[in-house]
Amino acid sequence: MTITLHEPRVRSVLERLFGQAAADDHFEAPRDVVRAESAQERADALAAVYMPISASGGELLYGLVRSGRPETVVEFGTSFGISTLYLAAAVADNGRGHVYGTEMSAVKVAAARGHLDEAGLGGVATILPGDARRTLADLPGPIGLVLLDGWKELCLPVLRDLEPRLAPGALVVADDIDQESMADYLRYVRDPANGYVSVAFPVEDGMEISCRA
């Protein structure tokens, strides 16, 4: 069985990126950046900050994609592409499907594309530059898995935009659910009336895994 995550060039890229991201562990955004009304302004101001998922979170994503074998995987909030590498590795090992990432920072878009190419995974992942509410508007379904790891106040609007294209049984994974700004999102996916079966998974700052029932 092929496990791309174990290939030396993929491990090398991931280990280097996690090492660089470790420098941001105690980073606190300046108050003026936090209060910026524009998500694009925040993205540009934090273009050098990683904000990655954890390694265990990445392995969870890899397993979910291998298990579900989705044709289309969507990622909101690519950053430098750490999470994208896990998703793309799973798609490559499945032998089917494609990952569509979205990122507002032009600096991070270029970096993520370079990292995917370096790992040999550029052919199964496309990074769309700009606001996900626009860049994903014309992406056809059915979408089998969604990772929501961008600006937290936009996770619910992005999900609502994607809902008509979610496949039955699609998985929606949201990262950093311990943040207060995820409260509205969690209320939504945890309300059975909205069509999800949802559970919190104890990975780092928490992931919410929701199945579109």
Side-chain angles (χ1 to χ4, degrees):
M1 180 179 66
T2 301
I3 302 180
T4 298
L5 282 179
H6 295 174
E7 292 183 358
R9 61 179 174 176
V10 176
R11 295 310 313 173
S12 175
V13 176
L14 281 171
E15 288 171 7
R16 187 182 77 244
L17 295 180
F18 274 122
Q20 293 169 347
D24 296 336
D25 283 349
H26 303 293
F27 173 81
E28 290 188 16
R31 188 167 298 180
D32 60 328
V33 173
V34 173
R35 292 180 175 177
E37 293 185 7
S38 166
Q40 185 65 61
E41 290 175 350
R42 274 178 281 156
D44 292 339
L46 300 176
V49 182
Y50 274 73
M51 299 179 284
I53 62 166
S54 64
S56 54
E59 290 166 2
L60 173 61
L61 291 171
Y62 175 88
L64 292 174
V65 174
R66 288 304 307 268
S67 175
R69 302 180 66 81
E71 290 286 351
T72 300
V73 176
V74 170
E75 175 189 49
F76 165 53
T78 293
S79 191
F80 284 90
I82 291 178
S83 51
T84 324
L85 287 164
Y86 284 99
L87 297 170
V91 165
D93 288 347
N94 283 344
R96 56 188 289 186
H98 199 84
V99 179
Y100 295 90
T102 64
E103 174 56 50
M104 287 184 170
S105 166
V107 171
K108 290 183 175 179
V109 169
R113 288 171 174 168
H115 297 148
L116 286 161
D117 289 340
E118 183 183 354
L121 294 170
V124 295
T126 300
I127 309 301
L128 303 171
D131 188 328
R133 292 166 294 180
R134 293 192 293 270
T135 59
L136 296 174
D138 297 324
L139 185 68
I143 298 167
L145 185 139
V146 178
L147 170 62
L148 300 171
D149 195 22
W151 300 120
K152 302 313 172 188
E153 76 276 9
L154 297 180
C155 286
L156 182 54
V158 169
L159 175 61
R160 296 297 302 273
D161 287 346
L162 294 174
E163 276 182 342
R165 290 167 281 165
L166 293 181
L171 293 179
V172 181
V173 182
D175 196 25
D176 299 321
I177 61 172
D178 290 348
Q179 295 189 20
E180 290 183 11
S181 49
M182 288 295 285
D184 288 344
Y185 174 87
L186 294 175
R187 275 193 292 269
Y188 181 80
V189 295
R190 291 173 179 177
D191 183 346
N194 293 320
Y196 295 93
V197 175
S198 195
V199 62
F201 199 87
V203 176
E204 294 291 327
D205 293 327
M207 283 182 163
E208 188 82 3
I209 303 176
S210 307
C211 177
R212 184 64 168 167

